[in-house]
Amino acid sequence: MPRGTTPTHRTGAASTGRRGRSPVRLPAALTVVALLLSGGLTGCQESFADPDTDTVQLSVFWWGDQQRADRTEQALRRYSARHPKVGFRVTWQGAGGYYDRLATEATGGNAPDLFQIDDDFLTEYAQRRITLDLTDQVKRRRVDLGGLPPGLARAGEVGGRTVAVAAGEATPALAYDKTVLDGLGVAEPRPGMSYQEFVAWAAEVTRRSGGQVAGASDPAAQQMALWLWLRAQGKEFYTDRQLGFGVPDLTRWFEIWRRARSDRATPSATVTQGANSGMVARQLIATGKAVTSFIRSDQLVELQSYTSDELGVVAYPGNPKAQWPQATMYWAGFRGTRYPDIVADVINFLVNDPEAGRILGTDRGFSPNTSVRAVVARTPVERGGRAAAAYESRMSTLFGPAPQAPPRGHARIRELLLRAAQDVQFGRATSAEAAATFVRRANAALAG
């Protein structure tokens, strides 16, 4: 099948999709809100089925590519081998339109028993009572979070209730091309560099290359990069349902990267625009336009596949303690499932079982369970995998406290930041103008 197509399929079919990327959000997802407010979704039909004695078939839905499908289906088959009376009806598709389809099925009362979700919609789906409340399952250790880092274990909480469990962990990372840097005679970026030092370093790389390659990509539009920059200064992206920063803060952030473009530390806005999509294949290391790219640690393997050069990873500029153990995505159950106990048991298996961990590998990020992660680390890994795992291990000793789960409207905030950053990048607005517009629109979105 041609690269980039995103049809939906049942077990055994082929599809493609962006590994680890959040799916495209479409307006149909909002119809869930209206139906929930009008009572359009059925409540949970309590059933305390036993996976060893009751014959059930659970529906499972996720976004991803063929490799993710193969690994996930193999893991689910392993669960069925242990619990022969439990079968699975799987549906998966590429990233585009994932939430559109999930919303459509939820409004019809036919949402999958178990599904993949991410931070952009976790809070909204929980507050609208689409997700299964796992709090009691966690208390009874039917879903055991004891093997997860504390911050990651709490990542699936909304309003003090566990509504999802991390399917993988990753840490923001600055990837760099060691081969190019060695050829230019430039030292590798070091952890703890200030942003001013990093921009000066990147400008030197551009100069040494004769302008053939930029020293850095421009992360002005990347919400996570901004969040870490804010945390390094003692602020948060969100405070409850409001922004945790103001116009002066965002103006300073945009100005860092406007000056970097002026100093040729980063490439032009036109070149940067492709990388703003977040797709690994369009990262500027992959396209040969820059020596560094701001990624997640689990994306290093995919990024490495696009170049024969040797890549390395280091922490973002700024204080590494601004980082925290981050969930790449989550497993969540449907509130209307007939089999809440079995759904919880399957989640527990996917997260905590060493054999499941070996099967799933790092497709959704590093295993959230640190013991399982150690088992997986001993198995053969793809090129770049060991460097990514070593980086994740180093960073785990530096993590700061995890922030609250992003509030409802998080996906919209990401879109608004992208628009504001690109307005500055293309000269359509000054840093202060774009920052003021963003803050006004973001506050309105969060209040809605």
Side-chain angles (χ1 to χ4, degrees):
M1 181 172 293
R3 187 179 181 88
T5 57
T6 56
T8 58
H9 298 278
R10 297 289 173 182
T11 306
S15 177
T16 58
R18 299 190 298 253
R19 289 180 59 194
R21 282 289 303 150
S22 302
V24 176
R25 283 84 186 168
L26 297 179
L30 299 179
T31 61
V32 174
V33 175
L35 283 177
L36 281 165
L37 292 175
S38 62
L41 288 182
T42 59
C44 177
Q45 302 298 313
E46 287 292 336
S47 174
F48 299 99
D50 187 320
D52 295 321
T53 60
D54 294 282
T55 300
V56 301
Q57 187 176 61
L58 297 183
S59 54
V60 188
F61 186 35
W62 68 86
W63 76 83
D65 60 6
Q66 182 69 56
Q67 176 174 290
R68 177 171 296 169
D70 293 342
R71 289 177 178 271
T72 306
E73 291 178 36
Q74 184 182 350
L76 294 175
R77 286 195 297 270
R78 190 64 198 134
Y79 183 90
S80 293
R82 298 184 188 179
H83 308 285
K85 292 184 177 292
V86 179
F88 298 93
R89 185 178 69 256
V90 309
T91 309
W92 59 279
Q93 67 172 64
Y98 174 82
Y99 279 108
D100 186 41
R101 178 167 183 167
L102 182 60
T104 299
E105 293 184 350
T107 57
N110 193 36
D113 298 291
L114 177 63
F115 57 90
Q116 193 173 282
I117 194 169
D118 68 3
D119 277 328
D120 280 3
F121 277 105
L122 178 64
T123 297
E124 179 169 340
Y125 273 49
Q127 291 179 343
R128 301 304 183 185
R129 302 182 69 196
I130 300 171
T131 53
L132 176 65
D133 189 338
L134 298 168
T135 306
D136 290 341
Q137 303 282 10
V138 170
K139 289 180 180 178
R140 289 184 286 170
R141 298 183 76 92
R142 292 192 178 186
V143 176
D144 188 355
L145 302 185
L148 279 63
L152 196 64
R154 293 191 296 269
E157 293 182 4
V158 175
R161 311 291 292 180
T162 301
V163 297
V165 179
E169 177 187 316
T171 299
L174 180 71
Y176 59 92
D177 192 317
K178 299 176 70 172
T179 302
V180 171
L181 291 176
D182 287 347
L184 296 175
V186 179
E188 297 174 7
R190 57 178 175 79
M193 295 176 75
S194 68
Y195 275 89
Q196 182 178 7
E197 291 172 328
F198 174 70
V199 170
W201 174 90
E204 175 65 11
V205 172
T206 306
R207 187 189 67 78
R208 290 276 191 101
S209 74
Q212 295 300 304
V213 62
S217 60
D218 180 347
Q222 294 184 22
Q223 184 259 353
M224 184 51 62
L226 171 58
W227 198 333
L228 295 184
W229 179 78
L230 289 166
R231 279 174 63 93
Q233 300 170 82
K235 297 188 176 184
E236 288 288 354
F237 200 98
Y238 297 112
T239 302
D240 295 325
R241 283 192 45 78
Q242 297 179 331
L243 293 177
F245 62 97
V247 173
D249 302 302
L250 188 55
T251 300
R252 287 176 56 207
W253 172 251
F254 286 156
E255 278 295 288
I256 289 173
W257 302 109
R258 185 195 62 77
R259 289 193 295 269
R261 284 189 300 277
S262 178
D263 294 340
R264 301 188 67 198
T266 62
S268 68
T270 301
V271 171
T272 296
Q273 187 173 26
N276 282 344
S277 69
M279 294 178 63
V280 176
R282 294 185 180 179
Q283 290 299 314
L284 299 189
I285 286 183
T287 59
K289 302 295 186 182
V291 174
T292 62
S293 288
F294 292 81
I295 64 167
R296 286 196 327 248
S297 55
D298 64 307
Q299 294 174 324
L300 182 65
V301 171
E302 183 179 354
L303 186 63
Q304 182 70 80
S305 71
Y306 293 108
T307 177
S308 59
D309 290 356
E310 182 183 0
L311 304 183
V313 283
V314 70
Y316 276 30
N319 190 343
K321 291 187 180 295
Q323 301 208 26
W324 68 94
Q326 297 182 19
T328 56
M329 57 197 74
Y330 305 86
W331 286 116
F334 176 46
R335 174 175 170 259
T337 182
R338 296 173 57 198
Y339 308 107
D341 282 2
I342 296 182
V343 168
D345 194 61
V346 174
I347 292 175
N348 188 67
F349 170 77
L350 294 172
V351 170
N352 294 316
D353 187 87
E355 187 172 5
R358 282 193 295 268
I359 293 170
L360 295 170
T362 58
D363 181 81
R364 288 181 172 86
F366 298 98
S367 173
N369 182 304
T370 55
S371 297
V372 174
R373 192 184 309 170
V375 171
V376 175
R378 292 195 292 269
T379 63
V381 295
E382 298 173 86
R383 187 164 173 249
R386 294 198 183 281
Y391 169 76
E392 193 74 18
S393 178
R394 291 195 305 272
M395 288 301 300
S396 66
T397 64
L398 300 174
F399 285 144
Q404 68 178 54
R408 189 171 71 246
H410 181 61
R412 175 61 176 159
I413 303 305
R414 284 158 52 103
E415 294 170 357
L416 290 172
L417 179 62
L418 172 62
R419 184 187 307 176
Q422 291 191 158
D423 281 346
V424 179
Q425 289 167 347
F426 283 95
R428 295 188 291 260
T430 67
S431 296
E433 290 168 346
T437 299
F438 168 84
V439 169
R440 183 179 68 255
R441 291 174 174 172
N443 283 331
L446 291 170

mmCIF file of all heavy atoms in Angstrom, residues 36 45 69 80 82 93 105 114 125 134 137 147 150 153 182 223 243 282 290 317-318 356 366 393 442:
data_model
loop_
_atom_site.group_PDB
_atom_site.id
_atom_site.type_symbol
_atom_site.label_atom_id
_atom_site.label_comp_id
_atom_site.label_asym_id
_atom_site.label_seq_id
_atom_site.Cartn_x
_atom_site.Cartn_y
_atom_site.Cartn_z
ATOM 1 N N LEU A 36 -23.577 13.735 25.266
ATOM 2 C CA LEU A 36 -23.434 13.458 26.680
ATOM 3 C C LEU A 36 -24.292 14.397 27.512
ATOM 4 O O LEU A 36 -24.929 13.998 28.483
ATOM 5 C CB LEU A 36 -21.970 13.576 27.082
ATOM 6 C CG LEU A 36 -21.112 12.368 26.717
ATOM 7 C CD1 LEU A 36 -19.652 12.744 26.828
ATOM 8 C CD2 LEU A 36 -21.424 11.192 27.603
ATOM 9 N N GLN A 45 -22.869 -0.767 31.978
ATOM 10 C CA GLN A 45 -23.644 -1.917 32.390
ATOM 11 C C GLN A 45 -22.716 -2.809 33.218
ATOM 12 O O GLN A 45 -21.850 -3.488 32.683
ATOM 13 C CB GLN A 45 -24.170 -2.670 31.165
ATOM 14 C CG GLN A 45 -25.033 -1.816 30.246
ATOM 15 C CD GLN A 45 -26.269 -1.319 30.955
ATOM 16 O OE1 GLN A 45 -26.959 -2.089 31.616
ATOM 17 N NE2 GLN A 45 -26.565 -0.037 30.825
ATOM 18 N N ALA A 69 0.223 -2.382 14.600
ATOM 19 C CA ALA A 69 -0.873 -3.344 14.538
ATOM 20 C C ALA A 69 -0.364 -4.766 14.773
ATOM 21 O O ALA A 69 -0.949 -5.533 15.547
ATOM 22 C CB ALA A 69 -1.568 -3.252 13.182
ATOM 23 N N SER A 80 -5.065 -13.861 25.068
ATOM 24 C CA SER A 80 -6.088 -14.884 24.805
ATOM 25 C C SER A 80 -5.558 -16.290 25.045
ATOM 26 O O SER A 80 -6.310 -17.179 25.458
ATOM 27 C CB SER A 80 -6.604 -14.752 23.369
ATOM 28 O OG SER A 80 -7.329 -13.555 23.188
ATOM 29 N N ARG A 82 -3.600 -17.147 27.359
ATOM 30 C CA ARG A 82 -3.679 -17.364 28.801
ATOM 31 C C ARG A 82 -5.125 -17.406 29.290
ATOM 32 O O ARG A 82 -5.421 -18.020 30.317
ATOM 33 C CB ARG A 82 -2.922 -16.264 29.539
ATOM 34 C CG ARG A 82 -1.446 -16.211 29.231
ATOM 35 C CD ARG A 82 -0.759 -15.153 30.084
ATOM 36 N NE ARG A 82 0.623 -14.934 29.689
ATOM 37 C CZ ARG A 82 1.435 -14.066 30.256
ATOM 38 N NH1 ARG A 82 0.982 -13.323 31.268
ATOM 39 N NH2 ARG A 82 2.679 -13.910 29.831
ATOM 40 N N GLN A 93 -6.308 2.245 12.545
ATOM 41 C CA GLN A 93 -6.212 3.085 11.370
ATOM 42 C C GLN A 93 -5.041 4.045 11.523
ATOM 43 O O GLN A 93 -4.413 4.098 12.570
ATOM 44 C CB GLN A 93 -7.499 3.876 11.172
ATOM 45 C CG GLN A 93 -7.768 4.911 12.259
ATOM 46 C CD GLN A 93 -8.952 5.793 11.927
ATOM 47 O OE1 GLN A 93 -10.068 5.310 11.827
ATOM 48 N NE2 GLN A 93 -8.697 7.074 11.738
ATOM 49 N N GLU A 105 -18.493 6.566 17.009
ATOM 50 C CA GLU A 105 -18.878 5.314 17.645
ATOM 51 C C GLU A 105 -19.389 5.556 19.072
ATOM 52 O O GLU A 105 -20.336 4.893 19.517
ATOM 53 C CB GLU A 105 -17.695 4.359 17.646
ATOM 54 C CG GLU A 105 -17.302 3.903 16.239
ATOM 55 C CD GLU A 105 -16.186 2.868 16.227
ATOM 56 O OE1 GLU A 105 -15.573 2.643 17.302
ATOM 57 O OE2 GLU A 105 -15.942 2.292 15.155
ATOM 58 N N LEU A 114 -11.913 -0.952 24.706
ATOM 59 C CA LEU A 114 -10.570 -0.499 25.062
ATOM 60 C C LEU A 114 -10.034 0.327 23.908
ATOM 61 O O LEU A 114 -10.131 -0.090 22.743
ATOM 62 C CB LEU A 114 -9.668 -1.714 25.302
ATOM 63 C CG LEU A 114 -8.193 -1.471 25.631
ATOM 64 C CD1 LEU A 114 -8.044 -0.723 26.948
ATOM 65 C CD2 LEU A 114 -7.446 -2.804 25.691
ATOM 66 N N TYR A 125 -12.508 13.688 27.552
ATOM 67 C CA TYR A 125 -13.234 12.415 27.544
ATOM 68 C C TYR A 125 -13.548 11.959 28.957
ATOM 69 O O TYR A 125 -14.583 11.329 29.194
ATOM 70 C CB TYR A 125 -12.423 11.357 26.795
ATOM 71 C CG TYR A 125 -12.676 11.336 25.295
ATOM 72 C CD1 TYR A 125 -12.646 12.512 24.546
ATOM 73 C CD2 TYR A 125 -12.955 10.155 24.634
ATOM 74 C CE1 TYR A 125 -12.886 12.502 23.183
ATOM 75 C CE2 TYR A 125 -13.193 10.128 23.268
ATOM 76 C CZ TYR A 125 -13.156 11.318 22.547
ATOM 77 O OH TYR A 125 -13.403 11.306 21.201
ATOM 78 N N LEU A 134 -11.125 3.869 36.490
ATOM 79 C CA LEU A 134 -10.300 2.740 36.924
ATOM 80 C C LEU A 134 -9.818 2.879 38.360
ATOM 81 O O LEU A 134 -9.005 2.060 38.818
ATOM 82 C CB LEU A 134 -9.079 2.608 35.999
ATOM 83 C CG LEU A 134 -9.371 2.313 34.523
ATOM 84 C CD1 LEU A 134 -8.109 2.516 33.693
ATOM 85 C CD2 LEU A 134 -9.898 0.898 34.361
ATOM 86 N N GLN A 137 -10.171 -0.131 40.525
ATOM 87 C CA GLN A 137 -9.319 -1.208 40.018
ATOM 88 C C GLN A 137 -7.872 -0.983 40.448
ATOM 89 O O GLN A 137 -7.144 -1.933 40.747
ATOM 90 C CB GLN A 137 -9.410 -1.265 38.485
ATOM 91 C CG GLN A 137 -10.815 -1.450 37.924
ATOM 92 C CD GLN A 137 -11.290 -2.895 38.014
ATOM 93 O OE1 GLN A 137 -10.656 -3.733 38.649
ATOM 94 N NE2 GLN A 137 -12.403 -3.195 37.357
ATOM 95 N N GLY A 147 4.707 -0.333 39.495
ATOM 96 C CA GLY A 147 5.939 -0.408 38.730
ATOM 97 C C GLY A 147 6.203 0.797 37.861
ATOM 98 O O GLY A 147 7.220 0.855 37.160
ATOM 99 N N PRO A 150 6.266 7.439 39.817
ATOM 100 C CA PRO A 150 5.095 8.098 40.425
ATOM 101 C C PRO A 150 4.442 9.139 39.517
ATOM 102 O O PRO A 150 3.209 9.195 39.417
ATOM 103 C CB PRO A 150 5.674 8.728 41.691
ATOM 104 C CG PRO A 150 6.831 7.855 42.046
ATOM 105 C CD PRO A 150 7.418 7.417 40.744
ATOM 106 N N ALA A 153 2.503 7.332 36.871
ATOM 107 C CA ALA A 153 1.313 6.676 37.411
ATOM 108 C C ALA A 153 0.174 7.670 37.580
ATOM 109 O O ALA A 153 -0.997 7.329 37.400
ATOM 110 C CB ALA A 153 1.648 6.015 38.752
ATOM 111 N N ASP A 182 31.123 16.176 13.792
ATOM 112 C CA ASP A 182 32.519 15.733 13.743
ATOM 113 C C ASP A 182 33.206 16.283 12.496
ATOM 114 O O ASP A 182 34.369 16.726 12.554
ATOM 115 C CB ASP A 182 32.587 14.212 13.738
ATOM 116 C CG ASP A 182 32.254 13.606 15.095
ATOM 117 O OD1 ASP A 182 32.224 14.365 16.086
ATOM 118 O OD2 ASP A 182 32.013 12.385 15.163
ATOM 119 N N GLN A 223 4.596 23.144 21.407
ATOM 120 C CA GLN A 223 4.024 23.393 22.720
ATOM 121 C C GLN A 223 4.882 22.802 23.844
ATOM 122 O O GLN A 223 5.070 23.425 24.882
ATOM 123 C CB GLN A 223 2.601 22.828 22.764
ATOM 124 C CG GLN A 223 1.853 23.087 24.042
ATOM 125 C CD GLN A 223 1.835 21.869 24.949
ATOM 126 O OE1 GLN A 223 2.270 20.791 24.571
ATOM 127 N NE2 GLN A 223 1.326 22.059 26.149
ATOM 128 N N LEU A 243 -4.187 29.567 31.439
ATOM 129 C CA LEU A 243 -2.774 29.589 31.110
ATOM 130 C C LEU A 243 -1.979 29.950 32.352
ATOM 131 O O LEU A 243 -2.408 30.786 33.151
ATOM 132 C CB LEU A 243 -2.497 30.617 30.008
ATOM 133 C CG LEU A 243 -3.066 30.340 28.622
ATOM 134 C CD1 LEU A 243 -2.753 31.511 27.691
ATOM 135 C CD2 LEU A 243 -2.514 29.039 28.043
ATOM 136 N N ARG A 282 9.737 14.677 8.635
ATOM 137 C CA ARG A 282 9.943 16.068 8.218
ATOM 138 C C ARG A 282 10.848 16.843 9.171
ATOM 139 O O ARG A 282 11.058 18.042 8.971
ATOM 140 C CB ARG A 282 8.593 16.779 8.095
ATOM 141 C CG ARG A 282 7.731 16.220 6.968
ATOM 142 C CD ARG A 282 6.460 17.028 6.790
ATOM 143 N NE ARG A 282 5.629 16.492 5.722
ATOM 144 C CZ ARG A 282 4.458 16.999 5.361
ATOM 145 N NH1 ARG A 282 3.987 18.065 5.996
ATOM 146 N NH2 ARG A 282 3.760 16.460 4.384
ATOM 147 N N ALA A 290 19.090 20.807 9.075
ATOM 148 C CA ALA A 290 19.619 21.274 10.354
ATOM 149 C C ALA A 290 20.369 20.142 11.033
ATOM 150 O O ALA A 290 20.144 18.959 10.736
ATOM 151 C CB ALA A 290 18.509 21.804 11.257
ATOM 152 N N PRO A 317 17.854 22.488 25.952
ATOM 153 C CA PRO A 317 18.528 23.557 26.697
ATOM 154 C C PRO A 317 17.726 23.912 27.949
ATOM 155 O O PRO A 317 16.525 23.673 28.038
ATOM 156 C CB PRO A 317 18.552 24.719 25.701
ATOM 157 C CG PRO A 317 18.451 24.073 24.363
ATOM 158 C CD PRO A 317 17.568 22.866 24.558
ATOM 159 N N GLY A 318 18.404 24.502 28.912
ATOM 160 C CA GLY A 318 17.736 24.864 30.151
ATOM 161 C C GLY A 318 17.925 23.796 31.219
ATOM 162 O O GLY A 318 18.624 22.796 31.025
ATOM 163 N N ALA A 356 4.384 -9.292 27.344
ATOM 164 C CA ALA A 356 3.703 -8.269 26.549
ATOM 165 C C ALA A 356 4.658 -7.133 26.231
ATOM 166 O O ALA A 356 4.660 -6.595 25.116
ATOM 167 C CB ALA A 356 2.484 -7.741 27.304
ATOM 168 N N PHE A 366 8.838 3.935 25.495
ATOM 169 C CA PHE A 366 9.419 2.965 26.416
ATOM 170 C C PHE A 366 8.342 2.442 27.345
ATOM 171 O O PHE A 366 7.410 3.169 27.712
ATOM 172 C CB PHE A 366 10.554 3.617 27.203
ATOM 173 C CG PHE A 366 11.685 4.078 26.337
ATOM 174 C CD1 PHE A 366 11.770 5.407 25.942
ATOM 175 C CD2 PHE A 366 12.641 3.188 25.886
ATOM 176 C CE1 PHE A 366 12.798 5.837 25.128
ATOM 177 C CE2 PHE A 366 13.669 3.609 25.066
ATOM 178 C CZ PHE A 366 13.745 4.940 24.672
ATOM 179 N N SER A 393 17.123 6.570 30.602
ATOM 180 C CA SER A 393 17.586 6.157 31.915
ATOM 181 C C SER A 393 18.304 7.306 32.633
ATOM 182 O O SER A 393 18.082 7.538 33.830
ATOM 183 C CB SER A 393 18.528 4.953 31.780
ATOM 184 O OG SER A 393 19.031 4.558 33.034
ATOM 185 N N ALA A 442 -6.437 31.812 23.454
ATOM 186 C CA ALA A 442 -6.282 30.629 24.295
ATOM 187 C C ALA A 442 -7.170 30.714 25.529
ATOM 188 O O ALA A 442 -7.816 29.732 25.915
ATOM 189 C CB ALA A 442 -4.816 30.456 24.696
#
